[in-house]
PDB file of all heavy atoms in Angstrom:
ATOM      1  N   GLY A 135     254.454 141.185 100.425  1.00  0.00           N
ATOM      2  CA  GLY A 135     255.853 141.322 100.689  1.00  0.00           C
ATOM      3  C   GLY A 135     256.333 140.205 101.586  1.00  0.00           C
ATOM      4  O   GLY A 135     255.896 138.913 101.323  1.00  0.00           O
ATOM      5  N   ALA A 136     257.393 140.421 102.424  1.00  0.00           N
ATOM      6  CA  ALA A 136     257.938 139.286 103.249  1.00  0.00           C
ATOM      7  C   ALA A 136     256.851 138.624 104.020  1.00  0.00           C
ATOM      8  O   ALA A 136     255.717 139.091 104.427  1.00  0.00           O
ATOM      9  CB  ALA A 136     258.893 139.964 104.093  1.00  0.00           C
ATOM     10  N   ILE A 137     257.009 137.297 104.176  1.00  0.00           N
ATOM     11  CA  ILE A 137     255.941 136.488 104.896  1.00  0.00           C
ATOM     12  C   ILE A 137     255.550 136.961 106.256  1.00  0.00           C
ATOM     13  O   ILE A 137     254.449 136.809 106.696  1.00  0.00           O
ATOM     14  CB  ILE A 137     256.470 135.005 104.821  1.00  0.00           C
ATOM     15  CG1 ILE A 137     256.493 134.407 103.435  1.00  0.00           C
ATOM     16  CG2 ILE A 137     255.569 134.122 105.794  1.00  0.00           C
ATOM     17  CD1 ILE A 137     256.842 133.005 103.452  1.00  0.00           C
ATOM     18  N   LYS A 138     256.507 137.574 106.971  1.00  0.00           N
ATOM     19  CA  LYS A 138     256.227 137.925 108.286  1.00  0.00           C
ATOM     20  C   LYS A 138     255.077 138.899 108.400  1.00  0.00           C
ATOM     21  O   LYS A 138     254.390 139.068 109.488  1.00  0.00           O
ATOM     22  CB  LYS A 138     257.503 138.432 109.019  1.00  0.00           C
ATOM     23  CG  LYS A 138     258.038 139.697 108.566  1.00  0.00           C
ATOM     24  CD  LYS A 138     259.158 140.013 109.490  1.00  0.00           C
ATOM     25  CE  LYS A 138     259.774 141.365 109.161  1.00  0.00           C
ATOM     26  NZ  LYS A 138     260.877 141.695 109.999  1.00  0.00           N
ATOM     27  N   HIS A 139     254.789 139.705 107.316  1.00  0.00           N
ATOM     28  CA  HIS A 139     253.718 140.591 107.233  1.00  0.00           C
ATOM     29  C   HIS A 139     252.335 139.971 107.390  1.00  0.00           C
ATOM     30  O   HIS A 139     251.336 140.503 107.730  1.00  0.00           O
ATOM     31  CB  HIS A 139     253.718 141.408 106.001  1.00  0.00           C
ATOM     32  CG  HIS A 139     255.009 142.226 105.864  1.00  0.00           C
ATOM     33  ND1 HIS A 139     255.632 142.802 106.915  1.00  0.00           N
ATOM     34  CD2 HIS A 139     255.708 142.508 104.709  1.00  0.00           C
ATOM     35  CE1 HIS A 139     256.682 143.501 106.426  1.00  0.00           C
ATOM     36  NE2 HIS A 139     256.818 143.270 105.180  1.00  0.00           N
ATOM     37  N   ALA A 140     252.213 138.603 107.095  1.00  0.00           N
ATOM     38  CA  ALA A 140     250.879 137.988 107.191  1.00  0.00           C
ATOM     39  C   ALA A 140     250.513 137.976 108.591  1.00  0.00           C
ATOM     40  O   ALA A 140     249.282 138.254 108.898  1.00  0.00           O
ATOM     41  CB  ALA A 140     250.998 136.411 106.655  1.00  0.00           C
ATOM     42  N   LYS A 141     251.325 137.761 109.572  1.00  0.00           N
ATOM     43  CA  LYS A 141     251.052 137.741 111.078  1.00  0.00           C
ATOM     44  C   LYS A 141     250.714 139.265 111.368  1.00  0.00           C
ATOM     45  O   LYS A 141     249.741 139.488 112.134  1.00  0.00           O
ATOM     46  CB  LYS A 141     252.198 137.097 111.826  1.00  0.00           C
ATOM     47  CG  LYS A 141     251.857 137.088 113.209  1.00  0.00           C
ATOM     48  CD  LYS A 141     253.017 136.360 113.945  1.00  0.00           C
ATOM     49  CE  LYS A 141     252.705 136.146 115.443  1.00  0.00           C
ATOM     50  NZ  LYS A 141     253.852 135.476 116.164  1.00  0.00           N
ATOM     51  N   GLU A 142     251.558 140.189 110.915  1.00  0.00           N
ATOM     52  CA  GLU A 142     251.519 141.521 111.334  1.00  0.00           C
ATOM     53  C   GLU A 142     250.146 142.098 110.877  1.00  0.00           C
ATOM     54  O   GLU A 142     249.462 142.839 111.628  1.00  0.00           O
ATOM     55  CB  GLU A 142     252.522 142.346 110.816  1.00  0.00           C
ATOM     56  CG  GLU A 142     253.944 142.043 111.282  1.00  0.00           C
ATOM     57  CD  GLU A 142     255.172 142.570 110.531  1.00  0.00           C
ATOM     58  OE1 GLU A 142     254.789 143.343 109.566  1.00  0.00           O
ATOM     59  OE2 GLU A 142     256.215 142.379 110.913  1.00  0.00           O
ATOM     60  N   ARG A 143     249.762 141.784 109.584  1.00  0.00           N
ATOM     61  CA  ARG A 143     248.561 142.487 109.068  1.00  0.00           C
ATOM     62  C   ARG A 143     247.327 141.675 109.126  1.00  0.00           C
ATOM     63  O   ARG A 143     246.153 142.366 109.116  1.00  0.00           O
ATOM     64  CB  ARG A 143     248.818 142.745 107.559  1.00  0.00           C
ATOM     65  CG  ARG A 143     250.064 143.639 107.277  1.00  0.00           C
ATOM     66  CD  ARG A 143     250.352 143.848 105.805  1.00  0.00           C
ATOM     67  NE  ARG A 143     251.663 144.457 105.606  1.00  0.00           N
ATOM     68  CZ  ARG A 143     252.209 144.585 104.307  1.00  0.00           C
ATOM     69  NH1 ARG A 143     251.483 144.169 103.291  1.00  0.00           N
ATOM     70  NH2 ARG A 143     253.323 145.236 104.227  1.00  0.00           N
ATOM     71  N   TYR A 144     247.260 140.394 109.407  1.00  0.00           N
ATOM     72  CA  TYR A 144     246.109 139.556 109.265  1.00  0.00           C
ATOM     73  C   TYR A 144     245.963 138.710 110.381  1.00  0.00           C
ATOM     74  O   TYR A 144     244.816 138.713 110.940  1.00  0.00           O
ATOM     75  CB  TYR A 144     246.097 138.723 107.912  1.00  0.00           C
ATOM     76  CG  TYR A 144     246.030 139.623 106.733  1.00  0.00           C
ATOM     77  CD1 TYR A 144     247.191 139.901 105.950  1.00  0.00           C
ATOM     78  CD2 TYR A 144     244.942 140.215 106.228  1.00  0.00           C
ATOM     79  CE1 TYR A 144     247.241 140.608 104.852  1.00  0.00           C
ATOM     80  CE2 TYR A 144     244.881 141.090 105.080  1.00  0.00           C
ATOM     81  CZ  TYR A 144     246.090 141.232 104.395  1.00  0.00           C
ATOM     82  OH  TYR A 144     246.054 141.992 103.233  1.00  0.00           O
ATOM     83  N   PHE A 145     246.950 137.898 110.786  1.00  0.00           N
ATOM     84  CA  PHE A 145     246.734 136.735 111.705  1.00  0.00           C
ATOM     85  C   PHE A 145     246.931 137.241 113.260  1.00  0.00           C
ATOM     86  O   PHE A 145     246.317 136.541 114.007  1.00  0.00           O
ATOM     87  CB  PHE A 145     247.566 135.613 111.356  1.00  0.00           C
ATOM     88  CG  PHE A 145     247.268 134.901 110.042  1.00  0.00           C
ATOM     89  CD1 PHE A 145     248.103 134.068 109.409  1.00  0.00           C
ATOM     90  CD2 PHE A 145     246.057 135.128 109.369  1.00  0.00           C
ATOM     91  CE1 PHE A 145     247.838 133.446 108.188  1.00  0.00           C
ATOM     92  CE2 PHE A 145     245.739 134.549 108.244  1.00  0.00           C
ATOM     93  CZ  PHE A 145     246.609 133.732 107.620  1.00  0.00           C
ATOM     94  N   GLY A 146     247.803 138.005 113.399  1.00  0.00           N
ATOM     95  CA  GLY A 146     248.170 138.308 114.803  1.00  0.00           C
ATOM     96  C   GLY A 146     248.758 137.077 115.463  1.00  0.00           C
ATOM     97  O   GLY A 146     249.393 136.218 114.718  1.00  0.00           O
ATOM     98  N   ASP A 147     248.439 136.839 116.661  1.00  0.00           N
ATOM     99  CA  ASP A 147     248.820 135.624 117.406  1.00  0.00           C
ATOM    100  C   ASP A 147     247.677 134.532 117.539  1.00  0.00           C
ATOM    101  O   ASP A 147     247.918 133.578 118.104  1.00  0.00           O
ATOM    102  CB  ASP A 147     249.295 135.901 118.768  1.00  0.00           C
ATOM    103  CG  ASP A 147     250.719 136.470 118.786  1.00  0.00           C
ATOM    104  OD1 ASP A 147     251.587 135.935 118.001  1.00  0.00           O
ATOM    105  OD2 ASP A 147     251.047 137.326 119.629  1.00  0.00           O
ATOM    106  N   SER A 148     246.538 134.813 116.776  1.00  0.00           N
ATOM    107  CA  SER A 148     245.417 133.878 116.830  1.00  0.00           C
ATOM    108  C   SER A 148     245.569 132.557 116.147  1.00  0.00           C
ATOM    109  O   SER A 148     244.866 131.618 116.569  1.00  0.00           O
ATOM    110  CB  SER A 148     244.156 134.709 116.434  1.00  0.00           C
ATOM    111  OG  SER A 148     244.223 134.995 114.999  1.00  0.00           O
ATOM    112  N   ILE A 149     246.351 132.445 115.112  1.00  0.00           N
ATOM    113  CA  ILE A 149     246.333 131.330 114.370  1.00  0.00           C
ATOM    114  C   ILE A 149     247.592 130.441 114.681  1.00  0.00           C
ATOM    115  O   ILE A 149     248.653 130.509 114.327  1.00  0.00           O
ATOM    116  CB  ILE A 149     246.449 131.545 112.727  1.00  0.00           C
ATOM    117  CG1 ILE A 149     245.438 132.605 112.452  1.00  0.00           C
ATOM    118  CG2 ILE A 149     246.293 130.311 111.982  1.00  0.00           C
ATOM    119  CD1 ILE A 149     243.955 132.206 112.633  1.00  0.00           C
ATOM    120  N   LYS A 150     247.231 129.509 115.643  1.00  0.00           N
ATOM    121  CA  LYS A 150     248.260 128.643 116.233  1.00  0.00           C
ATOM    122  C   LYS A 150     249.139 128.021 115.228  1.00  0.00           C
ATOM    123  O   LYS A 150     250.474 128.007 115.437  1.00  0.00           O
ATOM    124  CB  LYS A 150     247.667 127.642 117.218  1.00  0.00           C
ATOM    125  CG  LYS A 150     248.598 126.759 117.901  1.00  0.00           C
ATOM    126  CD  LYS A 150     247.724 125.726 118.819  1.00  0.00           C
ATOM    127  CE  LYS A 150     248.674 124.674 119.357  1.00  0.00           C
ATOM    128  NZ  LYS A 150     248.038 123.654 120.120  1.00  0.00           N
ATOM    129  N   PHE A 151     248.506 127.249 114.302  1.00  0.00           N
ATOM    130  CA  PHE A 151     249.455 126.506 113.469  1.00  0.00           C
ATOM    131  C   PHE A 151     250.228 127.349 112.467  1.00  0.00           C
ATOM    132  O   PHE A 151     251.274 126.955 112.057  1.00  0.00           O
ATOM    133  CB  PHE A 151     248.626 125.438 112.693  1.00  0.00           C
ATOM    134  CG  PHE A 151     249.452 124.301 112.180  1.00  0.00           C
ATOM    135  CD1 PHE A 151     249.929 123.278 113.016  1.00  0.00           C
ATOM    136  CD2 PHE A 151     249.891 124.191 110.760  1.00  0.00           C
ATOM    137  CE1 PHE A 151     250.659 122.208 112.657  1.00  0.00           C
ATOM    138  CE2 PHE A 151     250.669 123.186 110.441  1.00  0.00           C
ATOM    139  CZ  PHE A 151     251.066 122.181 111.320  1.00  0.00           C
ATOM    140  N   TRP A 152     249.674 128.568 112.120  1.00  0.00           N
ATOM    141  CA  TRP A 152     250.375 129.357 111.222  1.00  0.00           C
ATOM    142  C   TRP A 152     251.717 129.814 112.010  1.00  0.00           C
ATOM    143  O   TRP A 152     252.852 129.854 111.478  1.00  0.00           O
ATOM    144  CB  TRP A 152     249.733 130.642 110.867  1.00  0.00           C
ATOM    145  CG  TRP A 152     250.541 131.616 110.024  1.00  0.00           C
ATOM    146  CD1 TRP A 152     251.316 132.636 110.493  1.00  0.00           C
ATOM    147  CD2 TRP A 152     250.602 131.597 108.637  1.00  0.00           C
ATOM    148  NE1 TRP A 152     251.851 133.302 109.472  1.00  0.00           N
ATOM    149  CE2 TRP A 152     251.495 132.685 108.321  1.00  0.00           C
ATOM    150  CE3 TRP A 152     250.057 130.823 107.541  1.00  0.00           C
ATOM    151  CZ2 TRP A 152     251.818 132.970 106.923  1.00  0.00           C
ATOM    152  CZ3 TRP A 152     250.383 131.140 106.286  1.00  0.00           C
ATOM    153  CH2 TRP A 152     251.286 132.237 105.889  1.00  0.00           C
ATOM    154  N   ASN A 153     251.593 130.078 113.251  1.00  0.00           N
ATOM    155  CA  ASN A 153     252.768 130.409 114.098  1.00  0.00           C
ATOM    156  C   ASN A 153     253.775 129.146 114.138  1.00  0.00           C
ATOM    157  O   ASN A 153     254.944 129.358 114.035  1.00  0.00           O
ATOM    158  CB  ASN A 153     252.429 130.770 115.536  1.00  0.00           C
ATOM    159  CG  ASN A 153     251.636 132.048 115.629  1.00  0.00           C
ATOM    160  OD1 ASN A 153     251.706 132.863 114.679  1.00  0.00           O
ATOM    161  ND2 ASN A 153     250.806 132.184 116.691  1.00  0.00           N
ATOM    162  N   ALA A 154     253.204 127.994 114.201  1.00  0.00           N
ATOM    163  CA  ALA A 154     254.110 126.879 114.222  1.00  0.00           C
ATOM    164  C   ALA A 154     254.796 126.705 112.856  1.00  0.00           C
ATOM    165  O   ALA A 154     255.972 126.364 112.795  1.00  0.00           O
ATOM    166  CB  ALA A 154     253.314 125.589 114.521  1.00  0.00           C
ATOM    167  N   LEU A 155     254.117 126.917 111.717  1.00  0.00           N
ATOM    168  CA  LEU A 155     254.693 126.911 110.424  1.00  0.00           C
ATOM    169  C   LEU A 155     255.985 127.911 110.359  1.00  0.00           C
ATOM    170  O   LEU A 155     256.980 127.598 109.857  1.00  0.00           O
ATOM    171  CB  LEU A 155     253.718 127.285 109.383  1.00  0.00           C
ATOM    172  CG  LEU A 155     252.733 126.290 109.057  1.00  0.00           C
ATOM    173  CD1 LEU A 155     251.582 126.864 108.188  1.00  0.00           C
ATOM    174  CD2 LEU A 155     253.293 125.012 108.164  1.00  0.00           C
ATOM    175  N   MET A 156     255.806 129.073 110.998  1.00  0.00           N
ATOM    176  CA  MET A 156     256.798 130.074 110.856  1.00  0.00           C
ATOM    177  C   MET A 156     257.973 129.837 111.854  1.00  0.00           C
ATOM    178  O   MET A 156     259.053 130.205 111.616  1.00  0.00           O
ATOM    179  CB  MET A 156     256.189 131.377 111.303  1.00  0.00           C
ATOM    180  CG  MET A 156     255.123 131.990 110.362  1.00  0.00           C
ATOM    181  SD  MET A 156     255.745 132.150 108.642  1.00  0.00           S
ATOM    182  CE  MET A 156     255.062 130.728 107.789  1.00  0.00           C
ATOM    183  N   GLU A 157     257.745 129.002 112.910  1.00  0.00           N
ATOM    184  CA  GLU A 157     258.696 128.755 113.892  1.00  0.00           C
ATOM    185  C   GLU A 157     259.565 127.408 113.511  1.00  0.00           C
ATOM    186  O   GLU A 157     260.639 127.257 114.136  1.00  0.00           O
ATOM    187  CB  GLU A 157     258.065 128.447 115.281  1.00  0.00           C
ATOM    188  CG  GLU A 157     257.547 129.809 115.787  1.00  0.00           C
ATOM    189  CD  GLU A 157     256.585 129.498 117.025  1.00  0.00           C
ATOM    190  OE1 GLU A 157     256.362 128.400 117.406  1.00  0.00           O
ATOM    191  OE2 GLU A 157     255.919 130.530 117.440  1.00  0.00           O
ATOM    192  N   HIS A 158     258.980 126.645 112.572  1.00  0.00           N
ATOM    193  CA  HIS A 158     259.596 125.305 112.355  1.00  0.00           C
ATOM    194  C   HIS A 158     259.892 125.305 110.804  1.00  0.00           C
ATOM    195  O   HIS A 158     259.307 124.645 110.047  1.00  0.00           O
ATOM    196  CB  HIS A 158     258.738 124.162 112.752  1.00  0.00           C
ATOM    197  CG  HIS A 158     258.399 124.140 114.184  1.00  0.00           C
ATOM    198  ND1 HIS A 158     259.382 123.750 115.050  1.00  0.00           N
ATOM    199  CD2 HIS A 158     257.373 124.548 114.934  1.00  0.00           C
ATOM    200  CE1 HIS A 158     258.861 123.812 116.383  1.00  0.00           C
ATOM    201  NE2 HIS A 158     257.627 124.413 116.240  1.00  0.00           N
ATOM    202  N   GLY A 159     260.941 126.009 110.421  1.00  0.00           N
ATOM    203  CA  GLY A 159     261.368 126.093 109.026  1.00  0.00           C
ATOM    204  C   GLY A 159     262.253 124.940 108.440  1.00  0.00           C
ATOM    205  O   GLY A 159     262.638 125.113 107.332  1.00  0.00           O
ATOM    206  N   VAL A 160     262.609 124.053 109.519  1.00  0.00           N
ATOM    207  CA  VAL A 160     263.358 122.909 108.906  1.00  0.00           C
ATOM    208  C   VAL A 160     262.589 121.689 109.571  1.00  0.00           C
ATOM    209  O   VAL A 160     261.770 121.741 110.259  1.00  0.00           O
ATOM    210  CB  VAL A 160     264.902 122.990 109.545  1.00  0.00           C
ATOM    211  CG1 VAL A 160     265.510 124.297 109.136  1.00  0.00           C
ATOM    212  CG2 VAL A 160     264.844 122.867 111.009  1.00  0.00           C
ATOM    213  N   LEU A 161     263.194 120.571 109.100  1.00  0.00           N
ATOM    214  CA  LEU A 161     262.714 119.273 109.427  1.00  0.00           C
ATOM    215  C   LEU A 161     263.105 118.986 110.829  1.00  0.00           C
ATOM    216  O   LEU A 161     264.141 118.171 111.078  1.00  0.00           O
ATOM    217  CB  LEU A 161     262.935 118.193 108.482  1.00  0.00           C
ATOM    218  CG  LEU A 161     262.377 116.661 108.808  1.00  0.00           C
ATOM    219  CD1 LEU A 161     260.894 116.863 108.647  1.00  0.00           C
ATOM    220  CD2 LEU A 161     262.836 115.766 107.689  1.00  0.00           C
ATOM    221  N   ASP A 162     262.492 119.404 111.865  1.00  0.00           N
ATOM    222  CA  ASP A 162     262.908 119.277 113.247  1.00  0.00           C
ATOM    223  C   ASP A 162     261.951 118.245 113.932  1.00  0.00           C
ATOM    224  O   ASP A 162     261.140 117.544 113.266  1.00  0.00           O
ATOM    225  CB  ASP A 162     262.989 120.596 113.868  1.00  0.00           C
ATOM    226  CG  ASP A 162     261.500 121.377 113.859  1.00  0.00           C
ATOM    227  OD1 ASP A 162     260.513 120.726 113.569  1.00  0.00           O
ATOM    228  OD2 ASP A 162     261.518 122.566 114.183  1.00  0.00           O
ATOM    229  N   THR A 163     262.013 118.168 115.283  1.00  0.00           N
ATOM    230  CA  THR A 163     261.220 117.197 116.001  1.00  0.00           C
ATOM    231  C   THR A 163     259.791 117.555 115.849  1.00  0.00           C
ATOM    232  O   THR A 163     258.985 116.590 116.005  1.00  0.00           O
ATOM    233  CB  THR A 163     261.806 117.168 117.541  1.00  0.00           C
ATOM    234  OG1 THR A 163     261.617 118.530 118.034  1.00  0.00           O
ATOM    235  CG2 THR A 163     263.088 116.661 117.685  1.00  0.00           C
ATOM    236  N   PHE A 164     259.366 118.705 115.705  1.00  0.00           N
ATOM    237  CA  PHE A 164     257.989 119.110 115.469  1.00  0.00           C
ATOM    238  C   PHE A 164     257.373 118.322 114.256  1.00  0.00           C
ATOM    239  O   PHE A 164     256.304 117.770 114.468  1.00  0.00           O
ATOM    240  CB  PHE A 164     257.817 120.620 115.255  1.00  0.00           C
ATOM    241  CG  PHE A 164     256.398 121.108 115.042  1.00  0.00           C
ATOM    242  CD1 PHE A 164     255.529 121.335 116.135  1.00  0.00           C
ATOM    243  CD2 PHE A 164     255.990 121.235 113.762  1.00  0.00           C
ATOM    244  CE1 PHE A 164     254.327 121.757 115.907  1.00  0.00           C
ATOM    245  CE2 PHE A 164     254.726 121.690 113.514  1.00  0.00           C
ATOM    246  CZ  PHE A 164     253.766 121.915 114.501  1.00  0.00           C
ATOM    247  N   TRP A 165     258.128 118.303 113.159  1.00  0.00           N
ATOM    248  CA  TRP A 165     257.588 117.720 112.003  1.00  0.00           C
ATOM    249  C   TRP A 165     257.784 116.188 112.168  1.00  0.00           C
ATOM    250  O   TRP A 165     256.815 115.383 111.638  1.00  0.00           O
ATOM    251  CB  TRP A 165     258.324 118.229 110.775  1.00  0.00           C
ATOM    252  CG  TRP A 165     257.993 119.658 110.385  1.00  0.00           C
ATOM    253  CD1 TRP A 165     258.837 120.665 110.578  1.00  0.00           C
ATOM    254  CD2 TRP A 165     256.712 120.159 110.170  1.00  0.00           C
ATOM    255  NE1 TRP A 165     258.213 121.856 110.236  1.00  0.00           N
ATOM    256  CE2 TRP A 165     256.941 121.690 110.001  1.00  0.00           C
ATOM    257  CE3 TRP A 165     255.464 119.719 109.883  1.00  0.00           C
ATOM    258  CZ2 TRP A 165     255.813 122.440 109.678  1.00  0.00           C
ATOM    259  CZ3 TRP A 165     254.334 120.499 109.620  1.00  0.00           C
ATOM    260  CH2 TRP A 165     254.630 121.969 109.472  1.00  0.00           C
ATOM    261  N   LYS A 166     258.886 115.765 112.611  1.00  0.00           N
ATOM    262  CA  LYS A 166     259.110 114.258 112.681  1.00  0.00           C
ATOM    263  C   LYS A 166     258.074 113.559 113.580  1.00  0.00           C
ATOM    264  O   LYS A 166     257.609 112.511 113.298  1.00  0.00           O
ATOM    265  CB  LYS A 166     260.547 113.971 113.252  1.00  0.00           C
ATOM    266  CG  LYS A 166     261.610 114.448 112.227  1.00  0.00           C
ATOM    267  CD  LYS A 166     262.917 114.288 112.736  1.00  0.00           C
ATOM    268  CE  LYS A 166     264.000 114.633 111.738  1.00  0.00           C
ATOM    269  NZ  LYS A 166     265.454 114.381 112.294  1.00  0.00           N
ATOM    270  N   ALA A 167     257.658 114.275 114.646  1.00  0.00           N
ATOM    271  CA  ALA A 167     256.625 113.765 115.506  1.00  0.00           C
ATOM    272  C   ALA A 167     255.307 113.510 114.763  1.00  0.00           C
ATOM    273  O   ALA A 167     254.415 112.640 115.224  1.00  0.00           O
ATOM    274  CB  ALA A 167     256.429 114.662 116.750  1.00  0.00           C
ATOM    275  N   ARG A 168     255.145 114.193 113.778  1.00  0.00           N
ATOM    276  CA  ARG A 168     253.789 114.218 112.874  1.00  0.00           C
ATOM    277  C   ARG A 168     253.956 113.335 111.746  1.00  0.00           C
ATOM    278  O   ARG A 168     253.019 113.291 110.873  1.00  0.00           O
ATOM    279  CB  ARG A 168     253.297 115.573 112.531  1.00  0.00           C
ATOM    280  CG  ARG A 168     252.974 116.329 113.742  1.00  0.00           C
ATOM    281  CD  ARG A 168     252.890 117.859 113.625  1.00  0.00           C
ATOM    282  NE  ARG A 168     252.156 118.436 114.601  1.00  0.00           N
ATOM    283  CZ  ARG A 168     252.716 118.643 115.866  1.00  0.00           C
ATOM    284  NH1 ARG A 168     253.899 118.309 116.088  1.00  0.00           N
ATOM    285  NH2 ARG A 168     251.936 119.270 116.864  1.00  0.00           N
ATOM    286  N   GLU A 169     254.924 112.535 111.601  1.00  0.00           N
ATOM    287  CA  GLU A 169     255.135 111.573 110.506  1.00  0.00           C
ATOM    288  C   GLU A 169     254.470 110.300 110.753  1.00  0.00           C
ATOM    289  O   GLU A 169     255.002 109.394 111.480  1.00  0.00           O
ATOM    290  CB  GLU A 169     256.607 111.259 110.209  1.00  0.00           C
ATOM    291  CG  GLU A 169     257.358 112.540 109.631  1.00  0.00           C
ATOM    292  CD  GLU A 169     258.885 112.275 109.479  1.00  0.00           C
ATOM    293  OE1 GLU A 169     259.298 111.187 109.688  1.00  0.00           O
ATOM    294  OE2 GLU A 169     259.537 113.343 109.097  1.00  0.00           O
ATOM    295  N   ILE A 170     253.240 110.152 110.461  1.00  0.00           N
ATOM    296  CA  ILE A 170     252.401 109.049 110.734  1.00  0.00           C
ATOM    297  C   ILE A 170     252.976 107.674 110.055  1.00  0.00           C
ATOM    298  O   ILE A 170     252.773 106.601 110.584  1.00  0.00           O
ATOM    299  CB  ILE A 170     250.883 109.154 110.388  1.00  0.00           C
ATOM    300  CG1 ILE A 170     250.107 108.035 110.811  1.00  0.00           C
ATOM    301  CG2 ILE A 170     250.771 109.292 108.854  1.00  0.00           C
ATOM    302  CD1 ILE A 170     249.951 107.939 112.318  1.00  0.00           C
ATOM    303  N   THR A 171     253.684 107.874 108.978  1.00  0.00           N
ATOM    304  CA  THR A 171     254.206 106.721 108.172  1.00  0.00           C
ATOM    305  C   THR A 171     255.081 105.877 109.011  1.00  0.00           C
ATOM    306  O   THR A 171     255.198 104.659 108.761  1.00  0.00           O
ATOM    307  CB  THR A 171     254.840 107.244 106.941  1.00  0.00           C
ATOM    308  OG1 THR A 171     255.872 108.192 107.181  1.00  0.00           O
ATOM    309  CG2 THR A 171     253.888 107.778 105.902  1.00  0.00           C
ATOM    310  N   ARG A 172     255.875 106.434 109.871  1.00  0.00           N
ATOM    311  CA  ARG A 172     256.844 105.663 110.636  1.00  0.00           C
ATOM    312  C   ARG A 172     256.181 104.793 111.638  1.00  0.00           C
ATOM    313  O   ARG A 172     256.784 103.809 112.205  1.00  0.00           O
ATOM    314  CB  ARG A 172     257.878 106.630 111.463  1.00  0.00           C
ATOM    315  CG  ARG A 172     257.266 107.428 112.534  1.00  0.00           C
ATOM    316  CD  ARG A 172     258.268 108.237 113.139  1.00  0.00           C
ATOM    317  NE  ARG A 172     259.060 109.116 112.329  1.00  0.00           N
ATOM    318  CZ  ARG A 172     260.143 109.566 112.595  1.00  0.00           C
ATOM    319  NH1 ARG A 172     260.960 109.203 113.599  1.00  0.00           N
ATOM    320  NH2 ARG A 172     260.767 110.378 111.718  1.00  0.00           N
ATOM    321  N   HIS A 173     254.854 104.960 111.830  1.00  0.00           N
ATOM    322  CA  HIS A 173     254.110 104.092 112.796  1.00  0.00           C
ATOM    323  C   HIS A 173     253.193 103.038 112.023  1.00  0.00           C
ATOM    324  O   HIS A 173     252.488 102.271 112.692  1.00  0.00           O
ATOM    325  CB  HIS A 173     253.174 104.974 113.645  1.00  0.00           C
ATOM    326  CG  HIS A 173     253.932 105.922 114.475  1.00  0.00           C
ATOM    327  ND1 HIS A 173     254.697 105.653 115.615  1.00  0.00           N
ATOM    328  CD2 HIS A 173     254.053 107.268 114.249  1.00  0.00           C
ATOM    329  CE1 HIS A 173     255.186 106.690 115.998  1.00  0.00           C
ATOM    330  NE2 HIS A 173     254.868 107.672 115.271  1.00  0.00           N
TER     331      HIS A 173
END
């Protein structure tokens, strides 16, 4: 069903980057900081 169930049923708070994926749903500073191409 809805994506948020992945955390509820399987991941809990243990998967750090899954939480980051869920928290950064737009191209914000989190993703821009990880753009190696600009360097």
